[in-house]
Amino acid sequence: MGSLRGISVAIFVVQALLASVTLVSAQGSTNGSRWQTLSGKAPSVIAHGGFSGIFADSSFGAYSLALLTSLPDVILWCDVQLTRDGAGICFPDLKLDNNSDVAVVYKDRQKTYLVNGVSTKGWFSIDFTLRELGNVILNQGVYSRTNKFDGNSYPIMTVQETYAQLNPPRFWLNIQHDAFYTQHNLSMRSFVLSVTRNRNVTIDYISSPEVAFLQNIAPSFQRSATNLVFRFLGQNDVEPSTNQTYGSLLKNITFIKTFASGIIVPKSYIWPVDKDLYLLPSTSLVLDAHKEGLEVFASDFYNDVPFSFNYSYDPVAEYLQFIDNGEFSVDGMISDFPITPSAAIDCFAHLGRNASKQVDLLVISSNGASGDYPGCTDMAYSKAIQDGVDVIDCPVQMTMDGTPICLSSINLIDSTTVAQSQFSNLTTTIPQIMPGSGIFSFNLSWSEIKTLTPIISSPQSQYKLFRNPRFKNAGTFLTLSEFLTIASNASSLQGVLISIENAPFLLEQGFAVTNAVLDALSKAGYGNKTDQKVMIQSSSSSVLMKFKSQTNYDLVYKVDEDIGGAQSSTIDDIKSFASAVVISKDSVFPENSAFITSATNVVPRLKAANLSVYVQTFSNEFTSQAWDFFSDPTVEINSFYLGGGINGVITDFPKTSNRYRRNRCLNRRNQIPGYMSPVQPGSLYGLITAPYLPPAEAPNPFLTEADVNEPPLPPVAAKAPSTSPNGTALAPTSPNGQPKVAAAAIMQLLTVFLAISLLF
């Protein structure tokens, strides 16, 4: 059916994907540890409908991308449905309308059937011949995923076509609704037996959630290399042939062994979670099944669906929990994003805490480990140090009594409960700092700020992605001096980064922020300290010039807007007062509608001037990443380091970045496998057909000398009243560059929000 069209699509997609991922022969895990699987071999990666997290499930694009980005022995999963004339197709459900355009092509062919006793309405495969389905194309059936590739006209493929066109290393057929097809005079048994007897097709696994079906075909596979696997559904769901719940069947593993060599279970059967999505102790299921000689395959792995908070939105961490926990390992994992379990198995499993670094990538915290605890608290900094960060950061804010403290924002509303406190009436408007109103750190004394409760930052909360809610108010805030004490006592740290913003405004209000920082560093012993470096960061060149004239600290210039390039004279200016530059992710790989469109030359030009380049901010939530990174923060970090050439990352989840640079796949030089190869900028964007292309966007501006040059800092003024009688801050002369800082930050947030919202 539709074979010529399928082949033409295949050629186009393969060419495009070969350009996007380096296809390298990999040998699987090279570590010497014995796996705790039933066979003692590495677990299998099962690509659920191919790489269905990006392309339409069961499409040629999805299967091709899975082969290019996974372990060399990856298993391609095909959900088998039967057409009216008995042909077997790869399609994720017996209803066709959610993953194809069948409802558009055949508007009047909707039917209602009983499916396992439930009345179900839709377009069913049993109502169409294979020839009729040749007019139907596949599309993305998960609405939270991008639909931008639906214009590629991926055809529905038969089981035989799928195998012939993809030639998979291993092939898995899942038979979900044998009882339903039997009711409609279609024989799934006959189809399965015919396809397994086809010398041109090799079926390695056949699974089903129906006991009767597997018992029926088991005698035909007693001397076959094909493995039969029983699939468990929800524990309270009823298995149709035994009329028992799957939870009840789980208690009789020896019965399953009579007709199957393995089981599939939802991952919650192994590592259950409580109602708040925190992990509970693991069950004994894997060990019990292994004792009976049954392999265990875990399902329901998705990078783009919230999972247990214990994993800090890091999908690699979740996979490792199932294969490298010291007690057991599942025998395989079924995933919509097979690149991630492939990397987990081959690159990260059995690393150990003391694994050596394979690449020189500096890991700098963003307000400590602020992805796990409220930023700039003792707990956030302790977690960052525990997670292997190189440099912990302190964004310095000033209190009313002149104490420098660590706080993520000068506006207390952003990180504390001040708006619900007795100080809520101190709201003021200061256009020189930010649009809108706030309650600012210099409105309260340090003793007053200490009474406030921290609030964890959840920058992706508009997508219902919240951070560690059980500890959302944990920890205490620190003065700069207390922060420096924590840092000096941490032998694993390379240094500290102190960020200073709004200095001209603060000086004009009588707050000597630069002097306060210098004094705290001196008292903490950092004036002549050699074992830990001090980095001073600011988007104000005048601040860095002041430190240059008085210290030998490493000075870091922060570019506070997305840029598409920089003038040579501008780079020379920066080099005159800084040794490193912080830029945004979009300044390296510009995005349009959350797709990378190209790569700039910003990083190579800055590095050519002997400036180190650090990029911010790397977060684990999948909505913070371009589609090109497959909802996997490790893929993103890898692409920025190997592909973008950056020197360091600024991250609110330091553990993910620290683990990345220790993975064993990075020491293979020219033999880096596909799942650890950097993505090619614009490769996915190039697969979007014209009707689905987002509107073109103007390129980011160049950084000019005018953006960088500032007059010297003003002298410290006598303190002025913090507010006027009407609650509006007195307006001093606007310091150079300050309105631009606030406006740029707001525009960045709006750009990200608008880009992602177009795809959700």
Side-chain angles (χ1 to χ4, degrees), residues 343-518:
I345 291 167
D346 192 24
C347 307
F348 294 107
H350 309 142
L351 274 184
R353 289 185 57 85
N354 297 320
S356 59
K357 299 175 186 176
Q358 303 298 323
V359 294
D360 185 18
L361 176 70
L362 192 70
V363 178
I364 305 170
S365 72
S366 175
N367 308 317
S370 56
D372 293 306
Y373 295 101
C376 298
T377 62
D378 56 343
M379 295 188 72
Y381 289 126
S382 296
K383 183 65 162 59
I385 294 168
Q386 174 189 331
D387 289 344
V389 75
D390 295 320
V391 177
I392 55 173
D393 69 309
C394 170
V396 172
Q397 315 300 341
M398 297 297 292
T399 67
M400 185 170 63
D401 50 350
T403 303
I405 64 174
C406 299
L407 209 59
S408 60
S409 170
I410 196 172
N411 182 8
L412 295 171
I413 294 176
D414 293 338
S415 57
T416 76
T417 57
V418 68
Q420 292 80 44
S421 73
Q422 59 180 316
F423 308 112
S424 59
N425 62 335
L426 296 180
T427 303
T428 60
T429 301
I430 305 178
Q432 294 84 357
I433 293 180
M434 56 173 281
S437 60
I439 300 175
F440 300 95
S441 63
F442 50 80
N443 294 144
L444 279 73
S445 67
W446 171 232
S447 61
E448 291 171 329
I449 290 176
K450 284 194 293 185
T451 67
L452 301 176
T453 301
I455 297 176
I456 198 168
S457 170
S458 291
Q460 302 300 314
S461 59
Q462 67 266 41
Y463 305 112
K464 307 302 181 184
L465 300 180
F466 299 95
R467 292 177 171 176
N468 205 5
R470 190 169 288 176
F471 296 92
K472 64 181 180 180
N473 301 121
T476 57
F477 294 121
L478 305 171
T479 64
L480 175 58
S481 296
E482 291 169 336
F483 164 84
L484 293 172
T485 298
I486 289 176
S488 63
N489 290 333
S491 59
S492 62
L493 287 180
Q494 294 185 24
V496 296
L497 182 147
I498 298 172
S499 176
I500 302 172
E501 297 296 339
N502 305 300
F505 174 84
L506 291 171
L507 288 166
E508 291 178 351
Q509 301 305 301
F511 297 102
V513 58
T514 53
N515 292 340
V517 169
L518 287 167

Side-chain angles (χ1 to χ4, degrees), residues 320-342:
L320 291 175
Q321 188 82 352
F322 284 80
I323 62 173
D324 186 18
N325 56 58
E327 295 183 12
F328 61 82
S329 170
V330 298
D331 300 280
M333 296 171 287
I334 303 168
S335 174
D336 289 12
F337 296 82
I339 187 173
T340 306
S342 295

Side-chain angles (χ1 to χ4, degrees), residues 722-744:
S722 59
T723 60
S724 65
N726 63 5
T728 302
L730 297 176
T733 303
S734 175
N736 182 47
Q738 296 308 313
K740 179 194 66 160
V741 173

